[in-house]
Amino acid sequence: MAKKTGQVVDFASIKAKMSDPYKKTLQVINEKGEIVNQELFDSFSDDELVNFMKDMVWERALHEQTMNFSRQGRLGFYAPTYGEEASEMGSIAAFKDQDFLFPAYRDLPQLIKHGASVAQGFLWSKGNAVGDDYGDTRNWFPQIIIGAQYVEAAGAALGIKKNGEKDAVSFVYTGDGGTSQGDFYEGINFASAFQAPAVFMVQNNGWAISVPRKKQNAAETLAQKGVGSGVPGVQVDGMDVLATYLATKAARDFAAEGNGPALVETLTYRFGAHSSAGDDPSRYRTKEEEKPWFDADPLIRMRKVLTDKGLWSQDQEDKLVEEYKDSFKASMKEAENTPTQSVVDMLKTTFEEPTPQIKADIARFEAKESK
């Protein structure tokens, strides 16, 4: 029998340090609206700074107006984006038209910015098939199955590589809860194994419906989850639109240059309910817990920076909000005037070649619809 020796593997030390490379959260503007990285801030022009603010104001106005439509019974499922404007507008700005987007159901704003219309966003919520027809844009419809879009994005990334496309990536979003799904791990592992150009976005908004991040996952950061598959990751302040943009752009550049996939975790917060379906966040979180996040509101901090530079005013913002909401109302009218898909059309598009049973169903419903 071998003699007892000292500790062979110090697992406690490994566990204590394995998150260290991922805890250096990238930030340009802090919670108080102070510039904490002047060099990175100075890399943006005044016009770029203003455009980021306009995009975030646009998204918040879209959220507010969409919630009004939902309360009026004019929409189906809707996942609020209130509080996540910097995470979503900062990241989508880093991608290009030739990139393939695989959104989750909370990512309608990115879908619209990537080429879909606002009316299509409303139609998707209403369950109208036209809401999934994005023409020549490289959009995929929002995924309802949690995490499934990661597998889809990995497949598209491999397709980009096999087709020999240059300067194109597949990019995908999920929340913190999505990283607990098997599809998440399968997607990042597949893309990494084939060194395919994918960017995996994780919007860590603190909650998987009513389950807090700390109860669903023991990893200290979600950025480190890629390491087991050989995927480098970074954690960024997702309430800082500039930091989010820079981190995402770096990830995209890395992937597009043929280095395989990258992962970006944005630390953000879902200010309201999980969805318009009726969950009540006051039943599972407190005002005391929410306050620091509301104080870190991405619009407040960016508004302060731009106002201090003389680039922004409340009057300017109010006028934009009014214009945006008027355009959303027009989009809703367009959506409501769009014909719904007939049963026959649905059956005809289920398979490229209808099965004998579906052919019989088509004939039966054609007879009904012709009356």
Side-chain angles (χ1 to χ4, degrees), residues 36 44 81 96 146 158 162-163 192-193 205 229 239 250 259 264 287 299 304 306 310 343 349 353 356 360 369:
V36 294
F44 295 94
T81 62
K96 299 182 179 181
I146 307 299
L158 180 58
K162 290 179 73 66
N163 288 339
S192 183
N205 68 20
S229 295
M239 308 296 265
N259 300 304
V264 179
K287 295 293 184 184
L299 270 69
K304 181 181 184 303
L306 294 184
V343 174
T349 57
E353 179 64 35
E369 291 176 2

Side-chain angles (χ1 to χ4, degrees), residues 178-240:
T179 68
S180 299
Q181 293 289 106
D183 288 352
F184 168 84
Y185 295 100
E186 292 164 11
I188 64 175
N189 186 71
F190 183 94
S192 183
F194 288 97
Q195 289 293 281
V199 177
F200 299 113
M201 301 298 303
V202 176
Q203 296 195 98
N204 179 1
N205 68 20
W207 296 88
I209 306 183
S210 60
V211 180
R213 153 79 172 83
K214 62 184 178 182
K215 285 190 176 181
Q216 60 163 301
N217 203 294
E220 195 168 351
T221 73
L222 301 181
Q224 74 196 70
K225 285 198 166 194
V227 69
S229 295
V231 179
V234 65
Q235 187 180 79
V236 61
D237 181 353
M239 308 296 265
D240 177 352

Side-chain angles (χ1 to χ4, degrees), residues 13 15-24 220-221 224:
S13 178
K15 183 176 181 179
K17 296 177 180 178
M18 65 184 180
S19 299
D20 287 352
Y22 303 93
K23 291 190 293 186
K24 299 174 183 177
E220 195 168 351
T221 73
Q224 74 196 70

